[in-house]
Structures are given as structure tokens and as C-alpha cells.
Amino acid sequence: FESAVAQDPAFALAHAAIANVCASYYYLYDRVPSWIDRAQAACERAVALQPQLPEVQVAQGWIHYASGRIEESIGCARVAIERKSDCEGAYYLLLRALFAAGMYQEVVAISDTALEATIAGFVEQVFQEALRLGATDIHLEPYAGSTRVATMARPARGVRWRVRTDVSPARASSRLFRAEKPGTIRAS
């Protein structure tokens, strides 16, 4: 992300990503204040550039979380989700913060929604990569039961989609997408 910021100092998402990484590193590995300071500086740049981005809210939320301000972290995650329901890392942050706050019933209540949003985001990335690679066949076996995936899995630009629903969730969670042959992406 440092390279992206060096090439484009106005790239708010890259600043937000730097803030996420630094805050997470501070919280998980090394409680040296320079990590949280670096996260805060990157987040301030992201806020100055594009404060409305949900990813910026997630960055702010991680800084609050790493600093022990759990309620503020929950608020930031909720704002990010309101702005973009499948914002990367937003539900993960929200669930961690709710758990840290002892709000276990709420964790249980939103876990299905969180999983659905996470899967939809992942599958969208797979779609984009498949299209970039020129795939003509995309098989969505593990995530076919997802409501959002079912609405996303429609033909586009001459691509043929196959959705299998007979894969168990346990089996699906251990599967990865891979290129099976030129022009085909299959969950395996």
C-alpha cells in the first residue's frame, strides 16, 4: 500500500489500508506506540481525502478497537456497513468489537448477515478475476446457496454460469476457486 500511496498520494483507499494494517499489527503483535501513530496518520489522510468511504470508517474503527475504544469501533463498523453492506472487513470488525463488548446475543443475531456479505464480496472478486482472465465458464459450487450469490450468478458478457447447490457448507468452506482449463473457473 505504501507503493500505491507513493504513486498516488490522493489514493484514500490505500491510506485506509495502511491504517488497517498498522492498527492490526499494533493490536495483535507489537504494542509499540509508533504503530498506532502511523495508523492514525494514514487514517487522517484518508479522512481528509474521502471521509465518506466505508473503508475509511473501517480504518477508523480498527484504530478505536486497537486503542480499546470498543464502542467507537462498533459505531464506525456500523456506519461502514450502512454505506456498503459488503465493505471488506466491516463485519469482521463489528463482530470482534461486539464480542469484546460482551454483546454476544448481537453477535449471534448478525452472524448470518455477516457471512452472507462476506461471501458475496469474495464471490464478486472471483467474478472480476474470472472476467479479467477471459473465462467463459464459471462454476459457483460452494457458494450457490447464498441468496446474494444466486442473484449475482447471471450471464454477463457471454459468460456461462453454473451454480450447484448440493455442496455442504462444511465442504464449501474448505474449497478454493481455481482455473480448471483455459476459459473456465471452477470451485474445487
Side-chain angles (χ1 to χ4, degrees):
F1 300 113
E2 294 286 348
S3 171
V5 168
Q7 291 179 31
D8 182 3
F11 190 12
L13 286 173
H15 289 290
I18 291 168
N20 285 340
V21 169
C22 291
S24 297
Y25 192 82
Y26 171 82
Y27 182 77
L28 296 170
Y29 302 109
D30 191 359
R31 296 284 176 124
V32 175
S34 61
W35 285 109
I36 202 71
D37 294 342
R38 190 171 170 198
Q40 187 64 45
C43 191
E44 287 171 3
R45 286 190 292 278
V47 168
L49 292 166
Q50 291 186 294
Q52 76 286 358
L53 287 178
E55 293 83 0
V56 172
Q57 288 294 315
V58 172
Q60 289 177 315
W62 276 115
I63 291 168
H64 290 310
Y65 185 84
S67 300
R69 297 186 305 271
I70 303 301
E71 291 300 321
E72 291 91 338
S73 179
I74 291 169
C76 288
R78 289 188 196 280
V79 169
I81 292 165
E82 286 172 14
R83 291 181 182 172
K84 183 180 175 190
S85 63
D86 62 350
C87 178
E88 186 174 346
Y91 271 109
Y92 178 66
L93 171 63
L94 179 59
L95 291 169
R96 278 192 76 141
L98 289 171
F99 189 85
M103 302 170 79
Y104 309 120
Q105 290 298 334
E106 192 165 353
V107 169
V108 171
I110 66 169
S111 61
D112 285 343
T113 303
L115 182 60
E116 188 73 24
T118 303
I119 289 171
F122 173 70
V123 171
E124 178 62 26
Q125 290 174 359
V126 171
F127 284 174
Q128 294 305 317
E129 183 64 8
L131 291 173
R132 187 185 72 73
L133 294 171
T136 55
D137 256 346
I138 299 174
H139 305 266
L140 298 174
E141 296 169 10
Y143 301 107
S146 165
T147 304
R148 289 183 65 186
V149 171
T151 62
M152 293 167 60
R154 58 186 179 276
R157 294 193 234 162
V159 175
R160 186 173 62 233
W161 309 98
R162 280 195 201 131
V163 179
R164 260 186 57 198
T165 59
D166 61 338
V167 178
S168 72
R171 187 171 157 217
S173 66
S174 67
R175 296 172 66 130
L176 300 173
F177 287 89
R178 64 177 167 81
E180 185 174 74
K181 62 182 181 182
T184 300
I185 301 292
R186 175 182 289 279
S188 62

